Amino acid sequence: MNPIQDFFDIELVKGITVLNFFCILWVIGCIVCLFMYLRRIRISKQMLLAISQTAKKRKVSSFIKSDSSSDYSVWVTDLVSVPMVLGLKEVILLPEKQFSETELEVILQHEIQHVKNHDIYIKQFSNILMIIYWWFLPIYWLNNNINLALEIRADAKATKHLEKADVLKYAYTLVDIEDRFDFTAISKSLSISSNFFLQESPNVLLYRINYLLNSDFKRKSNALILLIVILLPFISNIIILEPWYEYPHKNDGTISETELIEGAYLCEEDGIYYIIYQNKKSLVSDPEELISIGVPIREEE
């Protein structure tokens, strides 16, 4: 027998095995994580309602040059302390602070790319994965790296057509304004709606600056590696590994249930049952069991 299967088949209490226990624990964890997720969404909606009633509502074109396809709504409010994107509404929130023209250009171009890339859907998909796989610790590492990848992609597209000097200015601006932002409670509550700009971890900003300075984001992944990564989940389900075991010679000469049903029958003589199989007659002590699986009763030929 498989020792792993044996472990999961251990009965902890009557009717509940180790596998049942882990399944129950997983379901409870999913419910708790889902409840916390929905609660954060509800709080975010309440915060957004408060912001929408007091914010100064403008357009991107009010601050920087922008074409009609990128002229998203910009809400200026003192209820948030960092710029952020509300992806589902395609609204950019700006804290009510004094920014230079260069700073506004960097901030808004970055946030515009998040809206255009529909990063909110990727982030929410990542949140759903964390709800389902809450017990799998690497999923949190994956979520952090997805957020980092979204930031780097937004930086890459925002600086795609800039000269090297302008890219350096973009990077310098990120560093310069980083100390001016502080996560207030309301900003953290809204983070589920897609807080895509500066993260709490300084390592995130460090990665972004390194990518900008080294232009590493312009290198594309190897197509073969990407293909292998995509096919790996499917290939892993095709290959089945089973443990080696010694052939059970004690089962030699036995017949399967299907062979018994199709090739054997019961007969009765003076209240005693016999089973006939391949013209061989054997006494049966418990005919009810054979009858229950479908072995027919006939008169002896």
Side-chain angles (χ1 to χ4, degrees):
M1 292 292 292
N2 189 327
I4 298 177
Q5 185 65 49
D6 291 341
F7 170 74
F8 283 119
D9 287 339
I10 294 175
E11 195 169 45
L12 300 176
V13 294
K14 188 176 181 180
I16 298 181
T17 63
V18 172
L19 180 60
N20 297 144
F21 171 76
F22 280 123
C23 288
I24 293 171
L25 187 63
W26 171 71
V27 170
I28 293 174
C30 288
I31 292 174
V32 171
C33 292
L34 180 61
F35 172 79
M36 294 172 61
Y37 179 73
L38 294 176
R39 180 174 177 272
R40 289 167 62 193
I41 290 179
R42 182 176 60 83
I43 293 174
S44 295
K45 287 183 177 180
Q46 292 173 350
M47 298 294 188
L48 288 176
L49 180 60
I51 290 173
S52 66
Q53 294 173 346
T54 59
K56 300 174 184 176
K57 299 179 180 179
R58 300 179 182 176
K59 291 285 188 178
V60 170
S61 56
S62 302
F63 301 93
I64 62 174
K65 292 181 180 179
S66 174
D67 55 43
S68 58
S69 63
S70 303
D71 198 15
Y72 300 109
S73 296
V74 178
W75 294 358
V76 182
T77 174
D78 58 358
L79 295 179
V80 298
S81 57
V82 294
M84 62 179 64
V85 170
L86 305 178
L88 296 178
K89 290 181 174 292
E90 295 188 345
V91 174
I92 299 172
L93 297 184
L94 278 181
E96 198 162 12
K97 297 180 180 180
Q98 290 296 323
F99 296 106
S100 66
E101 291 184 9
T102 302
E103 290 171 342
L104 281 173
E105 181 78 25
V106 170
I107 292 171
L108 292 177
Q109 287 296 346
H110 181 88
E111 302 299 342
I112 286 171
Q113 294 306 318
H114 281 306
V115 178
K116 285 186 174 181
N117 295 338
H118 304 292
D119 288 340
I120 181 63
Y121 298 107
I122 298 175
K123 188 162 187 175
Q124 300 316 312
F125 176 73
S126 178
N127 287 329
I128 293 172
L129 284 181
M130 288 196 295
I131 292 174
I132 298 173
Y133 296 100
W134 61 266
W135 51 272
F136 189 56
L137 294 182
I139 198 68
Y140 301 99
W141 172 84
L142 174 64
N143 179 66
N144 291 335
N145 279 274
I146 287 175
N147 290 336
L148 175 59
L150 295 179
E151 292 297 325
I152 291 173
R153 182 173 69 165
D155 287 333
K157 291 192 174 183
T159 59
K160 184 177 180 181
H161 301 293
L162 298 182
E163 298 294 333
K164 186 67 176 180
D166 293 327
V167 174
L168 292 175
K169 187 184 295 184
Y170 181 100
Y172 174 80
T173 304
L174 289 179
V175 176
D176 187 46
I177 64 179
E178 193 269 342
D179 292 334
R180 297 172 56 185
F181 292 146
D182 178 36
F183 272 68
T184 60
I186 191 167
S187 292
K188 288 182 178 180
S189 298
L190 286 170
S191 64
I192 195 171
S193 296
S194 187
N195 186 344
F196 279 121
F197 196 65
L198 297 176
Q199 306 295 320
E200 292 177 274
S201 172
N203 292 331
V204 172
L205 182 61
L206 178 61
Y207 273 112
R208 292 172 61 189
I209 298 302
N210 284 333
Y211 270 87
L212 282 169
L213 297 181
N214 299 323
S215 300
D216 288 342
F217 50 78
K218 295 180 181 177
R219 299 176 185 173
K220 295 184 178 180
S221 301
N222 185 284
L224 180 60
I225 294 177
L226 291 177
L227 180 63
I228 293 174
V229 170
I230 294 172
L231 293 179
L232 187 59
F234 301 98
I235 296 174
S236 62
N237 288 319
I238 294 174
I239 302 173
I240 301 175
L241 301 179
E242 295 185 352
W244 177 88
Y245 62 92
E246 188 175 355
Y247 178 75
H249 293 284
K250 64 181 181 180
N251 292 333
D252 289 343
T254 60
I255 60 175
S256 67
E257 183 177 302
T258 302
E259 292 174 328
L260 196 64
I261 295 172
E262 294 178 353
Y265 63 92
L266 293 169
C267 66
E268 180 186 5
E269 295 180 6
D270 300 326
I272 299 175
Y273 282 88
Y274 297 88
I275 186 168
I276 312 297
Y277 181 73
Q278 294 184 345
N279 297 321
K280 294 181 180 179
K281 183 177 180 182
S282 303
L283 180 65
V284 176
S285 59
D286 185 11
E288 294 299 328
E289 183 178 354
L290 294 173
I291 294 173
S292 66
I293 66 173
V295 177
I297 301 176
R298 304 177 188 170
E299 294 184 1
E300 187 172 5
E301 297 176 358

